[in-house]
Amino acid sequence: MEVCIDSVQSAINSETGGACRVELCASLADGGTTPSLGMLKVIKQNISIPVFCMIRPRGGDFCYNDLELEVMKADILCLKQAGADGFVFGILTQDGDVDMVKCKQLLDLIRPLPATFHRAIDMSRDILQSLAAVKKLGFERVLSSGGKPTALQGVNTLKEMVKLVRNKKVLILCGGIQIDNLETILHSTGAQEFHGSARETLNSSMIFQKPDISMGSQPGCEFISKVTSVSVVKTLISLANLIWNR
């Protein structure tokens, strides 16, 4: 299990729960953006499993202009120097195809570290054609929900994708994976890696809470946080192992 995280505590909880690696992002509410150097450095000081960093300069689509590409390049170099173990990114053309030229430019900077093509593939025009392009570029892994909002909805496409990559550890299943649907998803696809946040909601430790002002998009969001749950990670991994060992 790979866990997507946006905090030091979630990183620690992921390792404690038995995750094989973490995908470090900022702004999970936007689907994940590039994390800070400080976040990576402190996480590396506190866990020993690999930390893959998201490279995404903003929320929204995955078609980036030249200046955004320069930001992505600069972030890769900084995060690589700071100890990132791998990277996660994806770039599409205006027509919804994998942008081979721009992806290669980033891959050249990332090497010899591994790279995962993220859920941009789910937003592409033809997911199977995009998978072939990603394989040709040399990405080690692909993160996908089968072109649907959730892996459960995309299970038939994911099954076909697993067959096409011919390596059950290349395709990482993601998108709404939970304890109650993991068995169906893994059994149906045959995949051997999956991805999720496994988060629980925690209340703020602040005693004083001002009720009539909000800094976020939802009133009161300052006084709750979402953190990876050790017990949920452990349960998901135990369940996956039972399924794979049958």
Side-chain angles (χ1 to χ4, degrees):
M1 180 180 184
E2 174 184 87
V3 182
C4 54
I5 61 163
D6 61 358
S7 69
V8 179
Q9 191 60 55
S10 285
I12 293 170
N13 290 357
S14 297
E15 181 174 55
T16 302
C20 66
R21 66 179 168 273
V22 293
E23 176 195 272
L24 175 59
C25 309
S27 191
L28 283 177
D30 288 323
T33 56
T34 305
S36 72
L37 278 172
M39 183 68 73
L40 173 63
K41 288 180 178 180
V42 175
I43 285 175
K44 289 290 291 183
Q45 291 167 2
N46 283 274
I47 67 172
S48 58
I49 59 175
V51 180
F52 281 30
C53 290
M54 172 71 76
I55 298 296
R56 188 180 177 211
R58 55 166 172 77
D61 64 41
F62 302 103
C63 182
Y64 303 113
N65 62 36
D66 290 342
L67 288 176
E68 290 171 326
L69 188 68
E70 290 305 309
V71 172
M72 296 170 84
K73 290 178 179 178
D75 282 334
I76 287 170
L77 293 175
C78 292
L79 291 164
K80 187 177 181 181
Q81 186 175 17
D85 297 292
F87 291 92
V88 183
F89 75 94
I91 307 176
L92 301 179
T93 67
Q94 290 180 318
D95 294 324
D97 298 317
V98 174
D99 193 318
M100 304 288 283
V101 174
K102 288 180 179 177
C103 283
K104 187 177 184 307
Q105 289 180 33
L106 298 194
L107 284 171
D108 287 344
L109 294 179
I110 287 169
R111 297 308 185 206
L113 298 178
T116 299
F117 193 95
H118 61 39
R119 290 191 68 190
I121 196 168
D122 292 322
M123 302 290 287
S124 66
R125 180 178 55 84
D126 184 324
I127 194 168
L128 298 183
Q129 181 177 311
S130 296
L131 180 61
V134 169
K135 285 178 61 181
K136 184 175 181 180
L137 282 164
F139 282 85
E140 280 76 15
R141 290 181 175 86
V142 182
L143 186 66
S144 177
S145 61
K148 300 293 183 180
T150 68
L152 190 60
Q153 292 171 295
V155 72
N156 291 330
T157 300
L158 288 169
K159 182 178 181 179
E160 191 171 355
M161 293 171 75
V162 169
K163 290 179 180 178
L164 288 173
V165 297
R166 297 180 183 177
N167 182 336
K168 294 180 179 180
K169 291 188 176 182
V170 169
L171 190 69
I172 311 173
L173 311 188
C174 69
I177 293 179
Q178 300 172 0
I179 293 168
D180 61 356
N181 62 26
L182 180 64
E183 182 170 8
T184 298
I185 293 168
L186 293 184
H187 180 73
S188 299
T189 62
Q192 291 189 348
E193 292 205 8
F194 64 99
H195 168 110
S197 60
R199 294 188 294 173
E200 60 184 346
T201 300
L202 301 180
N203 291 322
S204 169
S205 62
M206 289 191 67
I207 298 172
F208 172 76
Q209 298 185 7
K210 192 171 184 179
D212 57 347
I213 185 171
S214 178
M215 301 292 116
S217 59
Q218 297 180 353
C221 64
E222 290 78 18
F223 303 113
I224 60 170
S225 60
K226 292 186 179 294
V227 180
T228 297
S229 164
V230 174
S231 62
V232 174
V233 173
K234 284 183 176 180
T235 301
L236 284 166
I237 292 172
S238 296
L239 179 57
N241 286 329
L242 285 173
I243 296 165
W244 289 325
N245 290 328
R246 285 177 184 169

